[in-house]
């Protein structure tokens, strides 16, 4: 009879705690959690809601850095060797970045992330191309980097590339003794900025920029990209 009168609230613990919500609501289980059965060795732990959905984007994001480094180093090698960055590399990087962004952020957010980064990379270098300060391949490469890494990081990489490319160009020009043509080219670039019709010289012909030596700007973009990736890792 004494055993039958001993009706502790913990006797119905298994029935009371059939799910997580009832377990949290049960005062008996809250007050005496050490009495709960511990998981057996080798048992599979329950996965929190949404946890499995976070693993897939994280795995995709882990390959973004290596992919971008591969693209920019290949472009730098081509620029050093041929003074040209091939379209198959930049266009291929554009197209491949879109499904990667959608896989990480979802279809709509990924599309906005991709297009925003692409436009940021393109817009940052496009003025220099219009002023004939760099080649079209450099602009397309920067757009590809932005498509992969997004607009904020594209701005950082472009700023670093500006510094590297500017210092490189100045050192190369001064070493070759071409600082006078360099100043003339800068004056023509600034004078023609925002103008559709080019500046003309004294003979009435369009004023041409006299080459004072070119640098493979794809190398500057590659150095900036790798540096920013490692600095923000």
């Amino acid at each position: 009879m004494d055993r039958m009168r001993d009706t502790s609230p913990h006797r119905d613990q298994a029935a009371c705690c059939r799910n997580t919500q009832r377990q949290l609501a049960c005062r008996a289980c809250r007050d005496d959690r050490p009495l709960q059965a511990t998981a057996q060795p080798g048992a599979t732990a329950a996965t929190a809601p949404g946890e499995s959905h976070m693993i897939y984007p994280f795995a995709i994001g882990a390959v973004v850095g290596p992919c971008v480094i591969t693209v920019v180093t290949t472009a730098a090698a081509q620029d050093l060797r041929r003074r040209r960055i091939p379209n198959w590399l930049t266009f291929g990087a554009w197209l491949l970045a879109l499904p990667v962004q959608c896989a990480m952020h979802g279809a709509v957010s990924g599309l906005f992330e991709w297009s925003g980064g692409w436009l940021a990379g393109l817009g940052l270098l496009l003025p220099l191309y219009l002023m004939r300060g760099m080649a079209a391949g450099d602009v397309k490469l920067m757009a590809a980097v932005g498509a992969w890494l997004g607009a904020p990081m594209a701005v950082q990489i472009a700023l670093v590339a500006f510094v590297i490319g500017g210092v490189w160009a100045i050192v190369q020009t001064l070493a070759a003794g071409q600082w006078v043509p360099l100043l003339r080219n800068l004056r023509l670039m600034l004078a023609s900025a925002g103008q559709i019709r080019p500046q003309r010289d004294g003979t009435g012909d369009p004023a041409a920029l006299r080459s004072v030596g070119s640098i493979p700007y794809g190398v500057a973009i590659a150095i900036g990209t790798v540096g920013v990736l490692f600095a923000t890792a």
Side-chain angles (χ1 to χ4, degrees):
M1 297 295 294
D2 294 336
R3 293 183 179 179
M4 294 181 63
R5 292 197 187 108
D6 186 13
T7 57
S8 172
H10 303 293
R11 295 182 59 184
D12 296 332
Q13 181 179 3
C16 178
C17 304
R18 293 180 183 275
N19 55 63
T20 305
Q21 294 180 351
R22 293 183 61 185
Q23 180 179 358
L24 294 176
C26 179
R27 178 179 299 178
C29 296
R30 264 200 327 266
D31 295 341
D32 197 7
R33 292 193 177 184
L35 294 178
Q36 296 179 9
T38 57
Q40 296 295 330
T44 303
T47 303
E51 182 179 352
S52 60
H53 300 287
M54 296 299 295
I55 298 176
Y56 179 67
F58 177 78
I60 295 294
V63 304
V64 170
C67 288
V68 175
I69 292 176
T70 301
V71 170
V72 296
T73 51
T74 303
Q78 292 288 329
D79 206 6
L80 278 173
R81 182 180 178 183
R82 302 179 179 179
R83 288 295 193 273
R84 183 177 179 273
I85 300 176
N87 287 331
W88 63 263
L89 179 62
T90 53
F91 290 166
W94 293 357
L95 297 177
L96 186 59
L98 179 56
V100 173
Q101 292 285 9
C102 291
M104 291 192 300
H105 304 287
V108 177
S109 298
L111 178 61
F112 279 106
E113 188 76 14
W114 176 83
S115 58
W118 185 87
L119 290 173
L122 183 73
L124 287 167
L125 298 191
L126 186 60
L128 292 177
Y129 168 73
L130 295 177
M131 293 188 296
R132 294 178 289 176
M134 66 174 51
D138 303 324
V139 181
K140 289 180 283 188
L141 176 62
M142 192 65 232
V145 172
W148 276 89
L149 300 178
M153 192 167 288
V155 174
Q156 300 178 38
I157 293 172
L159 293 177
V160 175
F162 286 155
V163 174
I164 295 174
V167 172
W168 190 349
I170 292 174
V171 171
Q172 178 176 293
T173 301
L174 294 179
Q178 297 290 327
W179 61 273
V180 174
L182 174 64
L183 294 178
R184 174 182 176 274
N185 289 347
L186 289 176
R187 181 179 61 83
L188 290 174
M189 289 171 60
L190 294 176
S192 61
Q195 297 182 4
I196 300 178
R197 299 181 62 183
Q199 294 287 320
R200 297 182 179 274
D201 54 18
T203 62
D205 296 327
L209 295 177
R210 184 180 304 171
S211 176
V212 294
S214 61
I215 66 169
Y217 208 86
V219 177
I221 296 176
I223 295 175
T225 301
V226 175
V228 170
L229 284 176
F230 277 98
T232 57

